[in-house]
């Protein structure tokens, strides 16, 4: 079966750094996506990794290790507006996205 | 219009009724998708279309049908709604089907009683 695992909820402090992990077991791999979803809103694209290594985009970075079936999203200099759910998704051998249940990130002042 | 629109925003429906959720995009994207999102579960693909005139079944297609008569529109129909179809439905599109990001509509919150 196909499976994407993420922590259900994490709490962090404004200004700090947080790492959200994602492990996956899928039939084939054609890239991994991270999306942000604020409560009551649609998911929005954050990052895409298809090769091993770190992709940096401003305060957000995403890392991929294909051999370990592992990715993480790193958020630096946390702001209150970063309170949201973060969704990990893997594109499988059929080029369809398999989604994790998401990690709800709570930022405290 | 800029991006993807969905209608209605929300709907309460009696079980057994037929319902069509509308989705329109103006980005001339080839691929379109319908997902449902339920609490504690990831987004689940219902149906998809890689290009106008073609459709395919996703992970949870039973009870739903789609059509793709043109590039812009991708309606989702519930032939006879059941309470287990209570969910938030998101339509999405992407330029292609390889490494392209998916853009999501605002969602339709559907309650079946």
């Amino acid at each position: 079966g196909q499976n994407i695992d993420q922590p259900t909820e994490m709490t962090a402090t404004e200004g700090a750094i947080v790492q959200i992990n994602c492990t996956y077991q899928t039939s084939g791999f054609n890239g991994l996506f991270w999306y942000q979803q604020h409560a009551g809103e649609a998911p929005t694209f954050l990052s895409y990794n298809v090769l091993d290594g770190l992709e940096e985009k401003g305060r957000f970075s995403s890392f991929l290790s294909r051999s370990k079936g592992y990715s993480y999203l790193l958020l630096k200099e946390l702001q209150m507006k970063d309170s949201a759910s973060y969704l990990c998704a893997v594109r499988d051998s059929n080029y369809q996205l398999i989604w994790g249940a998401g990690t709800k990130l709570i930022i405290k002042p | 219009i800029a991006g993807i629109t969905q209608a209605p925003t929300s709907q309460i429906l009696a079980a057994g009724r037929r319902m069509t959720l509308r989705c329109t995009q103006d980005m001339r994207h080839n691929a379109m998708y319908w997902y449902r999102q339920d609490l504690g579960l990831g987004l689940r693909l219902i149906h998809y279309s890689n290009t106008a005139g073609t459709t395919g079944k996703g992970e949870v297609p039973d009870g739903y049908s789609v059509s793709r008569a043109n590039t812009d529109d991708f309606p989702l129909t519930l032939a006879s709604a059941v309470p287990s179809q209570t969910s938030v439905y998101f339509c999405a599109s992407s330029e292609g089907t390889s490494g392209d990001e998916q853009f999501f509509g605002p969602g339709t919150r559907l309650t079946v009683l």
Side-chain angles (χ1 to χ4, degrees), chain A residues 30 33 35 37 40-45 48 87 91 94-102, chain B residues 33 35 37 40-43 45 48 50 90 97-106 109:
Chain A
N30 286 297
F33 293 79
Y35 280 75
Q37 186 177 25
E41 298 183 7
T44 55
F45 171 78
Y48 171 65
L87 314 180
R91 195 181 296 280
N94 294 318
Y95 286 89
Q96 300 304 334
L97 288 182
I98 309 301
W99 296 80
Chain B
Y33 314 85
Y35 293 96
Q37 187 174 42
L41 299 177
L43 288 161
L45 183 65
Y48 65 93
N50 288 335
F90 286 103
T97 57
S98 57
D100 301 307
E101 66 179 277
Q102 293 183 9
F103 294 83
F104 284 78
R109 184 174 295 275

Side-chain angles (χ1 to χ4, degrees), chain B residues 78-99:
Chain B
L78 289 67
S80 178
V82 295
S84 62
Q85 292 177 312
T86 293
S87 188
V88 179
Y89 291 85
F90 286 103
C91 179
S93 72
S94 62
E95 187 170 350
T97 57
S98 57

Side-chain angles (χ1 to χ4, degrees), chain B:
Chain B
I1 299 177
I4 301 182
T5 59
Q6 292 184 236
T9 302
S10 65
Q11 182 76 42
I12 298 174
L13 190 66
R17 297 296 296 268
R18 180 184 179 89
M19 176 74 191
T20 295
L21 308 185
R22 299 185 297 279
C23 174
T24 300
Q25 54 104 357
D26 66 353
M27 297 177 283
R28 308 304 293 172
H29 282 173
N30 288 312
M32 297 186 75
Y33 314 85
W34 274 106
Y35 293 96
R36 60 178 289 173
Q37 187 174 42
D38 302 292
L39 197 63
L41 299 177
L43 288 161
R44 292 183 291 170
L45 183 65
I46 304 170
H47 285 286
Y48 65 93
S49 169
N50 288 335
T51 189
T54 69
T55 62
K57 294 181 179 180
E59 180 185 355
V60 289
D62 294 342
Y64 306 94
S65 63
V66 292
S67 62
R68 186 88 184 276
N70 57 59
T71 298
D72 298 344
D73 301 300
F74 191 44
L76 176 75
T77 298
L78 289 67
S80 178
V82 295
S84 62
Q85 292 177 312
T86 293
S87 188
V88 179
Y89 291 85
F90 286 103
C91 179
S93 72
S94 62
E95 187 170 350
T97 57
S98 57
D100 301 307
E101 66 179 277
Q102 293 183 9
F103 294 83
F104 284 78
T108 293
R109 184 174 295 275
L110 182 67
T111 302
V112 183
L113 301 177

Side-chain angles (χ1 to χ4, degrees), chain A residues 21-32:
Chain A
N21 295 325
C22 170
T23 59
Y24 63 89
Q25 290 179 305
T26 56
S27 58
F29 178 85
N30 286 297
L32 185 144

Side-chain angles (χ1 to χ4, degrees), chain A residues 65-83:
Chain A
S65 169
R66 288 173 296 171
S67 62
K68 295 181 179 178
Y70 168 70
S71 174
Y72 68 72
L73 180 69
L74 192 71
L75 291 74
K76 303 175 184 176
E77 301 170 14
L78 286 170
Q79 302 175 9
M80 297 303 294
K81 67 179 182 179
D82 297 330
S83 292

